[in-house]
Amino acid sequence: MLELLSPAGSLDALHAAVCNGADAVYLGAEGFNARAGARNFTLDELPEAVRYCHVRGVRVYLTLNTLVTDRELPKVAEHITAAARAGVDALIVQDLGVAALSRQIAPQLALHASTQLTVHSLEGVRELAALGFSCVVLSRELPREEIAYICRNSPVRIEVFAHGALCMCYSGQCYMSAVIGCRSGNRGQCAQPCRLPYGYGRFENRYPMSLKDNCLIRYLGELARMGVASLKLEGRMKRPEYVAIVTGIYRAALDGREVRSSDLSALRAAFSREGFTEGYYLGRTGPQMFGTRQPERPDRELLAAARATYENLEPQRVPVDFYAIVAHGQNAMLAVQDADGHICQTQGAVPQAAERRALTQDELAARLSKTGGTPYAARSVRSVVDPGLTLPAAEINRMRREVLAHLSAVRARRPAPQLLSYRALPPVLGTRAAPVFTVSVLSAGQITGRLLRLKPAVLYVPLSEIAARPDFFRSLAARQMLAVVLPRIVWDSETRRLLDALDLAASLGIRRALTGNVGQLSLLRSRGMEAAGDFGLNLTNSRAASELRDLGLCSLTASFELTLPQLRDLSKPLPTEMLVYGRLPLMLTENCLIRNRTGECSCGAGPVKLIDRKGEEFRIVRDCGTCRSVVLNGKKLYLLDKREDLRRFGLWALRLSFTTENPGEIDTVLSNLNAPFDPGACTRGLYYRGVE
């Protein structure tokens, strides 16, 4: 049975979701959730919200799905404790450090892997299952074939997004809002720069990164047959009426009602960006997936009807069975039982001999079935009524109200959680030696003689480049430490090709790979390769560093969303590097921005760039030989003049990332590693500014 999971960005939205048939809701509380702009709940409000839902048979998942820093971990621990005490059914988590903290503090609290973890393969699901996650939310970009394969083989529940906003970038891999405006999407503060106009080469007032909303309502039966466990509706930032409309329509479809044209019209009226798209699910990416929000007159009648579903009504959604005894000489007895096996009972007055009309079983059943104003519906009434007796209607009503109130209290009750105290990890200071250089390139042509004379500790090269020029890299591997760079996204259908390329790299003497996704770790283990952690793992706190060490990585790359003080204080249980030069990657997109422009695959034809309304440039490159696009920042990160300050940070290495530079430009950078900072062409990134 597919779980219908609805958003609850406010108390009204919570009521809207529950009253319109949600099986579960997800909500945030006072920060550390990916929708910081929603109304959300206070920790004091959380227990009552959970009680409301549990009485009505609805599960509650709390979103703790942002990256956190070391100084925030004690506060996160308070949230975990409060969530466990409130009785939430699971935490939705992005940060592996938060997951580890939850296992330490509240080991019985279920963990769901957020879509922010960028899980898009079976191996990623298995890796997180081994870390204690009981449900994984897949990346929204996956087509039906990939979803079906994962579901057939997954050891845990799989959740997919069915309706609502689509991000242009793979969730968890977007840094655009952070880098250009200090508002991190990984911390719930995304300013949605992808929804703004851009042009190719010059500003054209077009919207090449604004996707239509997702709508999979026509495929619910197919998703159920695949084995998808949970169907998520996006919308914690949207109004309660939207939640009511979308939840109600999807509920009706899941219950077997045919999807009508009026349903689609209502979904569009609730919210759309020039209609909806099924492009990712059907594997049909391209310009047809894009749209913008158009000015529309609100459908006041539709909104009023939506409000009425949760403001004026209490749907009777919980079936119960009543059992009653009305017998001579003893107090009337009434019991109620729900589908979970909870049984509550009460007693009433002693029935009297009837003077005019005796109480019948049918009359008693009619009285007990009047459960309006409660969440309960009488599925059956079984009774024993001795003849010739009467019991006042007011007494029957009182007994019904009393036994149902008792049942509500029992349904809301949860056993006291097993809670442990927060324990900070002992710091690991890292190396005292001066950091060495590592270098990454996008193509073999960028490997200049001057670069090799620098003798970087590791030279990172895309796996696709090594596969294309094996003889060159066989010779180079004999005198220079090389590591292959894996694409951040590798679907299951692409794994065979990746493994063949890894086998080739290993035959050339290359034994290390740089990866930004936990789903690739088992693939590297299977080939006997060391796994070095890249920025895509979003390392922002010491507990996450410890988790990654335990997963067997040989080195780590700190997130470039950290400030220098946060980076300095980060525990370093493994050799840790930071990015100090290069164009920062802002987005990783399944939609090929180059093909969307030209209509054909022309990724190798030369540099392509987006231009925003302020004239800022964003170069587009391929992600390690794939047709997925990486949007790069216009200005280059530059901290080479701060190397002396970084000596005290315990870092193993400083990475130079060459992307769009030609060989001459690379040699210019390497010829003067002490060049002063140029504010016109360069940026300090977020190391000094930080993020919200």
Side-chain angles (χ1 to χ4, degrees), residues 67-349:
L67 301 179
V68 302
T69 64
D70 279 336
R71 291 192 177 185
E72 292 171 328
L73 284 173
K75 187 69 174 177
V76 173
E78 293 178 11
H79 277 62
I80 294 170
T81 300
R85 286 177 174 158
V88 303
D89 297 280
L91 300 180
I92 303 174
V93 174
Q94 173 189 12
D95 195 311
L96 293 181
V98 173
L101 188 60
S102 179
R103 293 198 305 271
Q104 184 245 305
I105 293 174
Q108 296 174 334
L109 187 54
L111 293 174
H112 292 187
S114 168
T115 189
Q116 292 287 117
L117 270 163
T118 325
V119 181
H120 56 271
S121 68
L122 177 61
E123 293 308 317
V125 171
R126 287 173 171 166
E127 200 75 49
L128 292 176
L131 288 174
F133 288 90
S134 59
C135 178
V136 174
V137 188
L138 297 181
S139 293
R140 283 171 254 206
E141 289 80 357
L142 289 180
R144 67 204 327 175
E145 296 83 5
E146 301 289 332
I147 297 171
Y149 176 78
I150 292 172
C151 289
R152 283 197 304 270
N153 299 281
S154 173
V156 295
R157 298 171 73 246
I158 295 298
E159 180 180 308
V160 300
F161 278 87
H163 193 93
L166 291 172
C167 296
M168 182 63 183
C169 180
Y170 271 88
S171 294
Q173 301 301 306
C174 187
Y175 311 98
M176 192 170 194
S177 179
V179 170
I180 68 177
C182 297
R183 293 180 58 181
S184 171
N186 281 314
R187 289 173 60 81
Q189 297 285 354
C190 182
Q192 296 190 323
C194 57
R195 301 290 183 190
L196 298 175
Y198 297 86
Y200 287 86
R202 60 184 177 83
F203 181 66
E204 302 175 66
N205 200 35
R206 299 175 59 182
Y207 295 85
M209 296 195 291
S210 180
L211 287 161
K212 296 177 181 177
D213 279 19
N214 193 31
C215 181
L216 300 184
I217 195 165
R218 296 187 184 276
Y219 302 95
L220 303 188
E222 184 174 279
L223 289 163
R225 289 189 294 274
M226 286 179 186
V228 171
S230 183
L231 203 69
K232 177 172 273 182
L233 310 177
E234 183 275 339
R236 279 195 292 140
M237 295 285 287
K238 295 187 175 74
R239 56 191 175 188
E241 294 92 337
Y242 168 90
V243 176
I245 293 166
V246 176
T247 301
I249 291 173
Y250 272 79
R251 177 76 272 158
L254 284 171
D255 289 346
R257 192 185 78 189
E258 184 178 352
V259 178
R260 304 172 299 197
S261 59
S262 58
D263 294 330
L264 299 176
S265 296
L267 290 173
R268 282 193 295 271
F271 191 94
S272 81
R273 292 181 170 91
E274 299 179 283
F276 298 108
T277 180
E278 306 156 340
Y280 283 143
Y281 184 75
L282 299 179
R284 300 172 187 166
T285 58
Q288 72 280 359
M289 289 186 65
F290 293 78
T292 58
R293 181 72 168 150
Q294 302 296 308
E296 296 176 0
R297 289 185 177 181
D299 186 331
R300 300 188 184 281
E301 184 176 338
L302 176 67
L303 296 178
R307 283 193 296 274
T309 63
Y310 61 90
E311 287 185 343
N312 305 326
L313 298 173
E314 170 70 81
Q316 281 73 61
R317 58 175 292 164
V318 181
V320 294
D321 299 305
F322 286 105
Y323 303 89
I325 299 175
V326 179
H328 286 285
Q330 64 183 55
N331 297 92
M333 301 293 296
L334 178 64
V336 67
Q337 181 175 8
D338 66 11
D340 296 324
H342 299 122
I343 300 175
C344 300
Q345 63 182 31
T346 189
Q347 64 179 21

Side-chain angles (χ1 to χ4, degrees), residues 76 114 117 123 161 213 258 269 291 326 353 364 422 469 570 606 613 626 635 648 665 690:
V76 173
S114 168
L117 270 163
E123 293 308 317
F161 278 87
D213 279 19
E258 184 178 352
V326 179
L364 180 60
Y422 168 71
R469 301 185 60 180
L570 181 72
R613 65 196 190 283
T626 70
K635 290 185 176 182
R648 307 187 304 273
E665 291 169 330

